Amino acid sequence: MSVRLLVAAVLATLALASPAHALPDCSPLPEKRTLLTGQGQLESIISDARGRIFYSDIQNGGRLFRLDAPGAEPKQLVQGINGTGGLAWDTDGSLVLGFNGGNQNAVADGTAGGLLHVNPETGETAPLASGMGMANGIVRGPDGAFYASNDFAGGIDRVKDGKVEDDWSKVQTPNGLVIDTAGRYLYAAQTFKPASVARIDLSNPAKEEPYYEATAPDLQGGPDGMTRDDRDRLFVAVNASGEVWRIDTDRTACRLASGIMNASAVNWGGGAPGFPARNLYVVGFSGVLVELADATDRPPPAGPPAAKPPRLRLAVEPKRVAAGSSTRWRFAVTAGGRAMPGATVRFAGRRATTNADGRAELTVRIARAGLRKASAALAGYPSARKTVRLLPRR
């Protein structure tokens, strides 16, 4: 049994010894339906705009799955990740997966954790950041930075352009992370203290305050993963008590669901034709995937955030050309400051594919000399178009 599961079991024992729940039920309660069982020890969940669900499993070598539709067989994308942790989207459409998110090594604030980019179609992975203690809950900020929590050692790391700022916030035992719709505050569910949610000012992480604090007998609930809707209401998986709480903007809370053993993470569906965007999906250490129908009337957008249009840079060698000569065109493609390996570029009726650095070259034969223009466009991105001018050789 991992340290994480052991502590959860202790919290569960404390919760069972408590008197009746203090939180009222939300009204109306959503219809609850179990979609999958026996999936391992599930840690996190996220959806994309195509209506697919992705979830991570701490057991069995650390795995990431994709579920394409209700009733479909889950597809394993990744295996062999040390302590799969949180999930988030990057602007290039890749998943960001935390590792060392559920491992004993994270008890101390070591360096075994980090972030991976994952291709959601193929499961191909690439490193994004390393040297972190843990990457349990993760969220992407409005400036492109990623925030990753360490619920054992405490503190939130910030990752910008692949560089790690250790303990950017020193908040106690943070787990699930959420950023509000205005992009001003970061909310952190706090697991191994009396059940609470902290609010941190993104512009000044020293400005931290309690946002919600449970009362007896819910103090031992063990808040875990968390999401929000577009009303900025927080939805929290409460691990030890097996519940989902909703925390409204007036800082009052209600119980949205119960009976989900070791609920660990929550997130919204991606929409038709897969899982409805108004439905909340819950995973747990017990290996279940549960659907809570119509949990909100204002779900946030699913999938990666809006990306900056890819930038296409072209260069021609030589600068001056003669009729019948062959000219080599070099180009590089970036999006949001990152290279786009494998991007297909159309140029003068031909195609070329960028390499791992987002660069490629293509040789074009010039039919006649004279002042003329030629343009290249990135396939699928008509806004990423570049025109170059050829000058006649004198």
Side-chain angles (χ1 to χ4, degrees):
M1 177 181 288
S2 70
V3 170
R4 181 179 175 83
L5 189 56
L6 177 61
V7 177
V10 172
L11 287 175
T13 302
L14 291 171
L16 291 173
S18 300
H21 292 280
L23 284 183
D25 286 343
C26 302
S27 181
L29 283 174
E31 180 183 351
K32 183 176 74 172
R33 186 163 69 100
T34 300
L35 304 183
L36 293 174
T37 59
Q39 296 299 297
Q41 186 180 327
L42 303 188
E43 171 65 26
S44 56
I45 184 171
I46 202 167
S47 297
D48 68 5
R50 293 172 59 180
R52 305 177 298 182
I53 283 178
F54 301 79
Y55 57 88
S56 66
D57 170 28
I58 298 173
Q59 290 182 335
N60 305 302
R63 303 180 295 175
L64 175 67
F65 287 91
R66 188 184 76 210
L67 183 63
D68 292 343
E73 187 71 20
K75 178 180 179 179
Q76 180 176 293
L77 291 176
V78 181
Q79 187 175 26
I81 303 299
N82 177 36
T84 47
L87 287 167
W89 288 107
D90 208 345
T91 53
D92 62 358
S94 64
L95 272 171
V96 176
L97 171 65
F99 59 90
N100 206 42
N103 189 279
Q104 292 93 325
N105 296 335
V107 173
D109 193 8
T111 60
L115 304 176
L116 293 174
H117 273 124
V118 181
N119 185 314
E121 309 303 325
T122 67
E124 181 182 1
T125 64
L128 171 59
S130 61
M132 304 160 65
M134 196 179 191
N136 191 320
I138 60 175
V139 67
R140 185 183 184 278
D143 63 348
F146 287 93
Y147 299 85
S149 64
N150 188 331
D151 62 340
F152 283 134
I156 297 172
D157 295 338
R158 183 177 185 267
V159 180
K160 183 71 183 294
D161 300 325
K163 297 179 181 179
V164 177
E165 184 180 349
D166 187 48
D167 279 351
W168 167 85
S169 165
K170 297 185 183 301
V171 64
Q172 289 185 323
T173 188
N175 199 315
L177 302 177
V178 168
I179 292 176
D180 66 1
T181 55
R184 179 180 178 184
Y185 293 113
L186 171 65
Y187 296 84
Q190 297 176 282
T191 303
F192 301 124
K193 66 184 294 287
S196 55
V197 174
R199 187 173 76 173
I200 303 147
D201 192 324
L202 282 172
S203 64
N204 183 358
K207 291 183 177 179
E208 171 207 329
E209 65 171 346
Y211 180 75
Y212 172 77
E213 295 178 309
T215 57
D218 295 305
L219 295 176
Q220 309 298 335
D224 201 326
M226 183 168 61
T227 190
R228 65 160 173 83
D229 65 7
D230 263 11
R231 293 185 181 185
D232 278 332
R233 299 183 300 180
L234 303 179
F235 295 76
V236 187
V238 187
N239 194 298
S241 57
E243 299 177 343
V244 177
W245 296 352
R246 190 186 78 205
I247 302 172
D248 292 347
T249 54
D250 62 0
R251 307 193 189 197
T252 61
C254 61
R255 183 176 53 174
L256 195 68
S258 59
I260 306 172
M261 184 177 177
N262 291 127
S264 55
V266 290
N267 228 319
W268 304 101
F275 301 91
R278 296 161 63 103
N279 292 1
L280 191 65
Y281 294 87
V282 190
V283 291
F285 290 166
S286 53
V288 298
L289 171 62
V290 174
E291 178 184 72
L292 303 179
D294 293 320
T296 186
D297 57 345
R298 286 174 54 184
K308 294 181 180 179
R311 182 181 178 187
L312 183 62
R313 300 194 304 270
L314 286 176
V316 60
E317 294 179 351
K319 296 293 184 182
R320 297 183 181 274
V321 299
S325 65
S326 294
T327 300
R328 185 172 62 181
W329 301 86
R330 296 177 299 143
F331 49 88
V333 179
T334 60
R338 292 184 53 214
M340 293 185 64
T344 301
V345 177
R346 295 192 296 257
F347 180 82
R350 302 188 187 186
R351 289 175 179 266
T353 303
T354 57
N355 62 20
D357 295 325
R359 301 176 182 277
E361 62 180 45
L362 187 67
T363 299
V364 178
R365 189 170 180 81
I366 304 303
R368 62 183 178 85
L371 191 65
R372 56 183 301 184
K373 294 180 179 180
S375 65
L378 181 61
Y381 295 88
S383 62
R385 187 177 296 274
K386 180 76 172 181
T387 298
V388 295
R389 187 180 299 272
L390 304 182
L391 298 178
R393 179 173 291 169
R394 298 184 187 280

